[in-house]
Amino acid sequence: MKPISKEAELFDFLKRSTYPDLVKAKSQMSRWDCYSPKGRHRIELKCRRKHYDTLLIEKKKFDAIIKVCENNLDIPMYICSTPSGVFAFNLFWVEPDWEINRRNPATTEFANGCRVEKEVAYLDIKEATTL
């Protein structure tokens, strides 16, 4: 399989392989990217150009998706692609160790290269389901 490097490609891969009912979030500014009505999975997608054994998740995004899932009885999923595969985490099953990271760019998809402080955790791919 060719590495997935864009969220649109990851969405298409998931729709073909795992979630045939997958739909995109209504708002581009949503704290989650897509939803499986049948599985009741609310999903945050990320694509990393380089493989890491631990995958970064922002606390703001984690907290937001947990809250909306608790309110709607959904399952919060974090699905991240790297050149080595696609890794899925059920966020109800992980216990993140949060830390302040000052090396993060303000955004990953845009030209803003400013570094900002973010509270993040690193999820070990050993705890993920490989898709």
Side-chain angles (χ1 to χ4, degrees):
M1 177 175 92
K2 177 184 136 201
I4 297 170
S5 60
K6 296 188 177 176
E7 287 182 14
E9 293 172 4
L10 182 54
F11 177 90
D12 291 342
F13 167 79
L14 292 171
K15 191 160 178 77
R16 284 189 318 272
S17 68
T18 310
Y19 299 103
D21 63 328
L22 198 62
V23 294
K24 292 181 181 178
K26 292 179 183 173
S27 168
Q28 193 173 7
M29 298 309 289
S30 176
R31 291 293 191 168
W32 49 277
D33 296 305
C34 49
Y35 183 68
S36 166
K38 184 177 177 185
R40 297 190 62 91
H41 287 189
R42 205 167 292 260
I43 305 166
E44 170 68 15
L45 301 176
K46 282 293 174 213
C47 296
R48 304 291 181 208
R49 293 181 189 109
K50 188 175 171 189
H51 178 76
Y52 301 94
D53 289 335
T54 57
L55 300 171
L56 180 142
I57 187 166
E58 289 182 54
K59 186 166 188 346
K60 284 183 186 177
K61 290 193 176 200
F62 179 92
D63 289 347
I65 197 170
I66 291 291
K67 183 178 179 179
V68 74
C69 285
E70 288 175 342
N71 291 342
N72 292 287
L73 302 176
D74 291 329
I75 299 168
M77 299 295 294
Y78 177 65
I79 300 179
C80 187
S81 69
T82 78
S84 295
V86 177
F87 305 94
F89 298 87
N90 178 328
L91 296 179
F92 279 150
W93 295 349
V94 299
E95 294 184 33
D97 290 324
W98 301 106
E99 64 182 63
I100 301 299
N101 184 320
R102 293 172 177 84
R103 300 168 298 186
N104 294 295
T107 61
T108 55
E109 295 298 322
F110 306 103
N112 184 353
C114 287
R115 300 292 174 181
V116 296
E117 189 174 277
K118 293 182 183 180
E119 192 168 8
V120 301
Y122 297 89
L123 306 180
D124 193 319
I125 62 170
K126 292 177 192 165
E127 298 177 20
T129 300
T130 304
L131 303 178

